[in-house]
Amino acid sequence: EVLLRMHSVGICGSDVHYWQQGRIGDFVVKDPMVLGHEASGTVVKVGPGVAHLKPGDRVAIEPGVPREMDEFCKTGRYNLSPTIFFCATPPDDGNLCRYYKHSASYCYKLPDNVTFEEGALIEPLSVGIHACKRAGVTLGSKVFVSGSGPIGLVNVLVAKMMGAAAVVITDLSASRLQKAKEVGADFTIQVKNETPQEVASKVESLLGCMPEITVECTGVQACIQAGIYATRSGGTLVLVGLGPEMVTVPIVNAAVREVDIRGIFRYCNTWPVAIALLASKRINVKPLVTHRFPLEKALEAFETTKRGEGVKVMLKCDPTDHSP
């Protein structure tokens, strides 16, 4: 293990959800819990046997740490391990604090040209990497991203990076769609009260064809329906957003057109990839951060996220550090 002095921690919709609702599905907050799972910091102390890190190293933290070497770990899909530790998923504490202890294997050294803030953004970026890999985005792919929150935006970034020829994105908010344009979306659709079929046909007319890949980042029933109708026959729909447990979808439409529906759960094996992309400047996540608060103003930061202002709200945990 290593002891870290925390630096940057991003606020996620799930953090706000736990704070407001006290649960997400079967994960129920029963005792006081520290929030935060998008984080970076500086190594203060290393435990015995830690060779790859030393005090002073700047690191990005992967929040999911398997507790045992089970079948999922053996096959490299450790995110699916049923006993995994995960920051800020009850009953596990997160890392929105001054000092935090974490498994050394899940702390990754940041190169000098990657900032703490970028290090904290690797967590949401990882969702995009994992989703686009599961979707099979490749050279020339036409991609439809549903929802332009932080996760929709990282999927735009990653899809373009992986060779997508055109990406269309939908949202209710004009300002969020503007941000999507900034990070590389080719087309945007501001959804008002169209039916799922109407959204699908707008996607098709903008792309000039139906997309082979749809990445659904809202979890809203109507959006999942639009995702099925929009995806080309033989294509893939990846469900990233989480909504109610039960949703009604045109499953027969998907079945007879051989549209594969895939789920994702967080990510695995993405931190080294993300660090390489950030260090080589192949991907720019900086535009995602729109608000910054010191740790003392955490409540204000959470309220800002809850109101849906900006994109990514970042907390600074170290008052002595004035680096970007």
Side-chain angles (χ1 to χ4, degrees):
E1 291 194 317
V2 291
L3 177 66
L4 305 159
R5 187 171 77 244
M6 299 305 296
H7 189 285
S8 296
V9 181
I11 299 177
C12 169
S14 70
D15 291 319
V16 174
H17 206 277
Y18 280 126
W19 168 50
Q20 290 293 302
Q21 316 293 327
R23 68 180 300 158
I24 294 178
D26 296 335
F27 297 107
V28 183
V29 181
K30 296 193 172 88
D31 299 301
M33 180 180 83
V34 178
L35 291 168
H37 59 269
E38 310 178 356
S40 63
T42 306
V43 176
V44 178
K45 212 170 161 185
V46 299
V50 176
H52 73 291
L53 294 172
K54 62 185 187 307
D57 283 348
R58 299 159 61 255
V59 298
I61 300 164
E62 179 172 0
V65 180
R67 286 189 168 95
E68 54 186 310
M69 176 55 74
D70 59 16
E71 293 306 311
F72 295 105
C73 292
K74 287 176 188 171
T75 56
R77 301 183 74 175
Y78 57 86
N79 57 315
L80 302 178
S81 176
T83 59
I84 196 167
F85 166 93
F86 196 89
C87 292
T89 294
D92 303 335
D93 278 329
N95 44 31
L96 180 50
C97 46
R98 297 249 187 257
Y99 289 91
Y100 174 72
K101 190 178 71 181
H102 200 68
S103 164
S105 309
Y106 293 80
C107 292
Y108 301 82
K109 194 172 179 329
L110 291 172
D112 293 342
N113 68 340
V114 177
T115 66
F116 281 115
E117 211 160 78
E118 289 175 297
L121 289 165
I122 291 174
E123 196 278 344
L125 180 60
S126 287
V127 178
I129 294 170
H130 192 57
C132 287
K133 276 188 178 174
R134 293 264 299 151
V137 179
T138 187
L139 279 176
S141 297
K142 303 282 200 329
V143 180
F144 166 31
V145 176
S146 168
S148 189
I151 295 302
L153 295 174
V154 293
N155 274 287
V156 171
L157 279 169
V158 176
K160 295 293 284 192
M161 180 71 246
M162 287 172 77
V167 177
V168 60
I169 189 165
T170 52
D171 203 89
L172 297 168
S173 155
S175 63
R176 290 202 152 180
L177 291 172
Q178 185 49 46
K179 185 59 88 169
K181 273 263 193 244
E182 269 177 57
V183 302
D186 298 281
F187 308 103
T188 61
I189 299 170
Q190 188 172 3
V191 180
K192 297 206 165 60
N193 44 17
E194 293 88 342
T195 65
Q197 289 95 329
E198 285 167 345
V199 171
S201 69
K202 280 191 172 185
V203 168
E204 181 177 6
S205 64
L206 279 174
L207 287 173
C209 61
M210 293 170 84
E212 304 100 322
I213 289 160
T214 299
V215 185
E216 208 299 300
C217 303
T218 70
V220 174
Q221 178 170 288
C223 299
I224 299 171
Q225 292 170 354
I228 289 177
Y229 292 130
T231 308
R232 185 185 307 182
S233 298
T236 304
L237 166 65
V238 175
L239 301 178
V240 184
L242 299 174
E245 187 179 1
M246 289 292 177
V247 288
T248 304
V249 293
I251 201 81
V252 175
N253 177 292
V256 298
R257 297 194 303 109
E258 296 193 5
V259 171
D260 292 346
I261 300 174
R262 300 189 140 202
I264 70 155
F265 188 60
R266 298 168 181 158
Y267 35 66
C268 57
N269 307 301
T270 55
W271 258 253
V273 175
I275 289 170
L277 288 170
L278 292 168
S280 61
K281 303 293 176 209
R282 299 284 287 148
I283 210 159
N284 180 16
V285 289
K286 288 173 180 167
L288 298 179
V289 182
T290 52
H291 294 72
R292 293 170 181 84
F293 293 91
L295 186 57
E296 298 72 33
K297 293 192 176 164
L299 186 59
E300 209 179 309
F302 271 79
E303 297 282 6
T304 304
T305 309
K306 186 183 155 197
R307 287 194 300 269
E309 288 175 30
V311 181
K312 181 55 69 178
V313 176
M314 194 65 69
L315 280 153
K316 299 291 184 191
C317 299
D318 186 354
T320 61
D321 192 318
H322 303 296
S323 67

